[in-house]
Amino acid sequence: MSTQARSGKGARVAPTLEEVAARAGVSRATASRVLRGDKKVSEHARTVVLDAAEAISYVPNLAARSLVTGRSDSVAFLVEETEERMFSDPFFLGMLRSAQESVAVAGLQLVFTVMTRPEDRARFLAYAAGGHVDGVLLLSLHGEDKLPQRLEDLGVPTVLSGRPLTGRRRLWYVDADNIGGGTLATTHLLSSGRRRVATVTGPLDMCAGQDRLAGYRKGVEAAGLPYDEALVSVGDFTSPGGYDATRRLLEQSPDVDAIFAASDLAAFGVIRALRDAGREPGVDVAVIGFDDIPAAAEHQPPLSTVRQPIPELGVAMTNLLLRRIDGETPARTQVLPVELVLRETT
């Protein structure tokens, strides 16, 4: 009876690993190694096994395999934000897309979770402790959150997006050069002749918010100017946050002629607030954002920004986590470079 035949009750008989091996002309052990992503197989074996599996629509029995390997073959993508923020910010969606692609190539499943309430945290910790995920990609950590340490204490490898604010325990993370990006933006604004260069910050309970502000300060002081708190308005990474922070900034420093915003979404809010105040973005007040999300180039006027490599960040995080899951001890930190992209708001 072929793999496409049905049992007496009419149910389709699932193709087996033995059938894949027989069709490919290899041993069961070789077929198993290929299908679990083992790199220590020949290219010929890989090709014939994958072709055979596709031909008979073989799907690995992950539950059975987990009994043998002790793994779930799942990785969690965990975001500590509201669902509204998660699905409205292209940064998270870009990270999710690249992480999903990398996990799929490794033959694993990605479990996506948004955590907003204390009960969400308790539920996820219990889920992770139960062996349902082999590792965690953790994004948008606020303050000295102890969740990464708790996951590591449970034996669940965890990789963070961004430098952790707590230094009590060394953790693994991947980040963009936020300080360098803030310095790039500020230095360009000052070198272009702007003298009252302000910043709308990100949330200061996050490493990205702190580091981009530190980069702004570094750029100001490198130009021989004093760091002026009146030119700093604390915001967040959202458009409404950027709008409100700019309104406050213009009230205390109406003579600003340039603003570095800590994200592109915040920069969109900056531009809207400037227009409401009768100031022309790019003419009266130059604006630079951070991220280079797709909407930055399409905005009117097109937004100058600091580009961080969002897809590469997601890939680097995932690869670092997969190496840890495989028992390797890679370097704990990776910081990827950024670049300045100039458009019509400067």
Side-chain angles (χ1 to χ4, degrees):
M1 181 180 291
S2 75
T3 57
Q4 300 304 312
R6 298 178 182 274
S7 70
K9 294 183 179 180
R12 184 180 295 275
V13 177
T16 66
L17 179 60
E18 287 76 8
E19 289 174 290
V20 173
R23 187 181 184 96
V26 300
S27 69
R28 185 186 188 281
T30 297
S32 177
R33 287 200 299 272
V34 170
L35 293 171
R36 70 170 182 260
D38 192 329
K39 297 178 181 178
K40 297 178 181 179
V41 294
S42 69
E43 192 58 37
H44 171 73
R46 189 185 315 280
T47 299
V48 295
V49 169
L50 293 179
D51 286 348
E54 181 178 6
I56 64 174
S57 301
Y58 171 77
V59 177
N61 186 332
L62 297 181
R65 187 167 76 181
S66 69
L67 292 175
V68 177
T69 64
R71 294 185 181 180
S72 68
D73 286 336
S74 295
V75 169
F77 184 95
L78 178 60
V79 181
E80 290 200 84
E81 290 288 354
T82 64
E83 291 186 4
E84 179 182 5
R85 170 84 198 286
M86 164 66 205
F87 290 108
S88 65
D89 192 330
F91 170 80
F92 293 120
L93 299 178
M95 293 286 282
L96 176 60
R97 183 179 299 111
S98 59
Q100 165 61 30
E101 291 173 353
S102 297
V103 167
V105 167
L108 307 181
Q109 299 292 323
L110 191 71
V111 178
F112 167 55
T113 303
V114 176
M115 193 168 63
T116 60
R117 302 165 298 178
E119 53 265 38
D120 297 335
R121 173 186 295 260
R123 188 180 303 113
F124 182 80
L125 281 168
Y127 182 76
H132 297 290
V133 294
D134 297 326
V136 176
L137 300 167
L138 181 53
L139 289 81
S140 207
L141 204 65
H142 292 261
E144 295 190 3
D145 195 325
K146 295 180 176 59
L147 180 60
Q149 289 93 334
R150 295 193 64 182
L151 288 167
E152 292 283 354
D153 289 342
L154 290 170
V156 181
T158 301
V159 173
L160 310 181
S161 171
R163 175 181 60 82
L165 294 183
T166 176
R168 287 192 294 272
R169 176 171 175 175
R170 296 178 67 196
L171 297 166
W172 280 261
Y173 70 88
V174 174
D175 206 355
D177 184 4
N178 292 305
I179 294 177
T183 304
L184 273 175
T186 305
T187 299
H188 175 78
L189 292 169
L190 289 168
S191 65
S192 67
R194 307 283 177 167
R195 303 314 297 166
R196 293 286 288 170
V197 177
T199 186
V200 167
T201 77
L204 297 183
D205 65 342
M206 298 183 70
C207 66
Q210 290 187 8
D211 289 351
R212 291 171 196 178
L213 175 59
Y216 162 81
R217 180 167 189 163
K218 184 177 179 180
V220 168
E221 293 177 344
L225 300 173
Y227 177 72
D228 186 351
E229 292 283 357
L231 294 175
V232 177
S233 186
V234 177
D236 56 29
F237 292 138
T238 70
S239 182
Y243 181 89
D244 293 341
T246 304
R247 293 291 296 270
R248 295 193 300 271
L249 176 65
L250 294 176
E251 288 175 2
Q252 65 186 9
S253 300
D255 59 342
V256 298
D257 59 5
I259 299 174
F260 163 52
S263 77
D264 289 347
L265 291 180
F268 297 159
V270 169
I271 289 172
R272 186 160 54 89
L274 289 173
R275 284 175 169 157
D276 285 353
R279 313 286 292 277
E280 183 61 29
V283 179
D284 301 321
V285 183
V287 180
I288 295 180
F290 201 112
D291 285 332
D292 197 27
I293 61 176
E298 300 167 1
H299 194 271
Q300 291 303 318
L303 177 67
S304 294
T305 186
V306 176
R307 175 184 294 150
Q308 63 170 330
I310 295 174
E312 290 83 355
L313 286 167
V315 171
M317 279 186 69
T318 307
N319 289 342
L320 179 57
L321 181 62
L322 293 176
R323 291 181 64 189
R324 293 197 62 205
I325 290 171
D326 284 340
E328 298 182 38
T329 54
R332 290 178 182 263
T333 66
Q334 292 182 35
V335 178
L336 304 189
V338 299
E339 62 179 310
L340 186 61
V341 179
L342 300 177
R343 300 190 178 104
E344 295 180 22
T345 57
T346 51

